[in-house]
Amino acid sequence: MKKLIAILFLSLFPLIGCQNLTDSNEIELKLAHNPTLDHPVHLSLVEFGRLVEEKSGNQINVNIYPNAQLGSEREVLELTQTGAVDVAKVSASALEGFEPDYSIFSLPYVFEDYEEFQEKMNNKEITDKLYLQTEEIGFVGLTYFNAGERHLYTKNREVLQVDDVNGLKVRVQPSETSVNMIEAFGGLPTPMAYGEVYTALQSGVIDAAENNETALVGNNHGEVAKYYMYTGHQIVPDMLVMNAKRLNNLSEEHRKTIHEAAQEATEYHEEVWRKTIAEQTETAKNEMGVKFIEVDKSSFIDAVQPLHKNYAANEQTKEIYQLMKGE
């Protein structure tokens, strides 16, 4: 019912505002995302909106709907497909169900480090394949936002090598690739909504989860999870996507404005993200008592090599794998 009301409202909104748009020659874009108002990605989306308005001489206004006001990431993507939402920020993992190429980010250790990830995400051959691949189903990619490296954290156990994961019930995102990863580590993957993780850790429904450092402070997971291991198994970015028809119907000048603002917002986000991670890591250490542990990644990397072989042999994913690996 909530989703239906949102669709009806957003479908009627452009009609209600039609006369105003004609009179003022202003273009209104609806941007939806799930993070809270204090999350670094929201701050970067606010910057994106500011840049769009500034570069367009206030001819384009961006109205942001944060904090999952318009539904889950999948629901927001569906609204973007229909044009009820113009722009959406979602995790790359949420895009897996729409385009198999995006599962590359869930493949563990496909990048050696964040520097290699950045290099690949600034390769036009790669981004064109990713961003334009979904045009036929209603949306295209504009840019990516750093969502950090994903690491393993547990309630009460140190994990120093892959054998230490054996038998652990680990929350994962609803991604087939992530499920396969935890199974390769010897753990028991438990897909669940992000909002359920705190209670699940507290009650013992799960033993561990995996995410970037903001989960510890921003979502208070550090209150119940006291060991954070730098496994660095995935780099799953946030993606900014836009309804393809809406973008293509803009003037060439306005399309240029959107793309420039998206790129500059990504650059702005890098600094915001670095600052946030540094601050929240210190908070987790000093105020929550979380122990941060460096681990030897080699046993984890060895464990997931069969996943890489399967991915490289899959007709749907081998092209993006070859591009990412430079093969």
Side-chain angles (χ1 to χ4, degrees):
M1 181 61 70
K2 177 182 175 184
K3 181 180 175 184
L4 180 59
I5 292 170
I7 293 173
L8 289 172
F9 170 75
L10 291 168
S11 299
L12 290 172
F13 187 81
L15 300 177
I16 296 169
C18 229
Q19 185 61 46
N20 290 335
L21 298 186
T22 302
D23 292 344
S24 65
N25 291 320
E26 289 182 357
I27 297 168
E28 300 284 341
L29 297 180
K30 296 182 288 295
L31 189 162
H33 71 81
N34 279 24
T36 56
L37 295 175
D38 58 351
H39 193 281
V41 80
H42 174 74
L43 302 179
S44 300
L45 291 171
V46 170
E47 176 67 3
F48 168 73
R50 186 193 70 77
L51 287 165
V52 167
E53 292 170 17
E54 178 185 273
K55 289 175 178 291
S56 69
N58 292 320
Q59 290 182 353
I60 307 176
N61 294 322
V62 179
N63 297 316
I64 301 176
Y65 296 80
N67 206 21
Q69 287 181 34
L70 302 183
S72 67
E73 289 195 334
R74 182 172 184 87
E75 289 168 335
V76 164
L77 278 168
E78 290 170 349
L79 291 172
T80 306
Q81 283 182 296
T82 66
V85 164
D86 299 303
V87 186
K89 192 292 300 174
V90 297
S91 170
S93 63
L95 287 162
E96 283 188 43
F98 296 80
E99 170 49 54
D101 276 358
Y102 279 98
S103 64
I104 189 70
F105 298 109
S106 296
L107 185 65
Y109 301 108
V110 70
F111 307 108
E112 185 175 337
D113 51 33
Y114 188 73
E115 287 68 30
E116 183 188 353
F117 164 80
Q118 278 189 306
E119 177 188 331
K120 297 297 169 61
M121 292 305 289
N122 285 285
N123 180 324
K124 193 171 186 301
E125 184 181 7
I126 292 173
T127 54
D128 277 355
K129 175 164 173 55
L130 280 172
Y131 294 172
L132 303 179
Q133 192 86 324
T134 54
E135 185 168 12
E136 290 186 0
I137 61 171
F139 59 85
V140 293
L142 295 177
T143 191
Y144 72 94
F145 291 116
N146 184 357
E149 293 185 60
R150 298 183 76 88
H151 306 285
L152 190 71
Y153 54 99
T154 65
K155 186 175 181 180
N156 53 18
R157 184 198 294 189
E158 291 189 8
V159 172
L160 301 179
Q161 57 184 346
V162 75
D163 289 346
D164 296 331
V165 183
N166 189 45
L168 283 180
K169 294 173 287 185
V170 185
R171 180 266 175 179
V172 294
Q173 299 179 88
S175 153
E176 182 181 357
T177 312
S178 293
V179 167
N180 292 338
M181 174 187 70
I182 296 302
E183 288 178 340
F185 288 165
L188 304 172
T190 308
M192 69 172 58
Y194 186 52
E196 299 172 9
V197 175
Y198 181 97
T199 303
L201 280 167
Q202 188 179 47
S203 63
V205 170
I206 58 174
D207 306 302
E210 49 84 42
N211 211 321
N212 62 63
E213 295 91 332
T214 63
L216 299 173
V217 177
N219 296 89
N220 299 315
H221 293 181
E223 292 179 355
V224 288
K226 298 304 179 182
Y227 296 92
Y228 191 90
M229 278 63 61
Y230 285 117
T231 50
H233 49 267
Q234 291 171 330
I235 300 176
V236 183
D238 284 324
M239 307 300 301
L240 192 65
V241 302
M242 183 169 181
N243 176 268
K245 185 176 180 180
R246 182 67 156 149
L247 180 63
N248 292 333
N249 283 344
L250 295 176
S251 68
E252 182 178 351
E253 182 181 357
H254 284 340
R255 287 197 301 273
K256 182 181 178 184
T257 289
I258 295 293
H259 285 296
E260 285 183 353
Q263 182 59 41
E264 290 179 29
T266 290
E267 294 166 6
Y268 172 88
H269 180 74
E270 288 293 336
E271 184 57 36
V272 174
W273 185 264
R274 278 193 293 270
K275 182 179 178 183
T276 299
I277 292 298
E279 291 175 348
Q280 296 201 0
T281 298
E282 286 304 306
T283 299
K285 282 180 182 177
N286 300 327
E287 298 180 21
M288 293 177 155
V290 177
K291 184 177 180 181
F292 288 79
I293 303 168
E294 295 286 347
V295 303
D296 181 355
K297 298 178 185 178
S298 58
S299 63
F300 294 90
I301 293 171
D302 289 344
V304 299
Q305 289 314 297
L307 300 186
H308 280 249
K309 290 178 181 178
N310 291 339
Y311 204 95
N314 188 311
E315 286 297 322
Q316 283 189 308
T317 55
K318 68 178 183 180
E319 184 179 352
I320 190 66
Y321 182 82
Q322 290 167 352
L323 280 172
M324 286 294 189
K325 300 299 286 184
E327 298 177 354

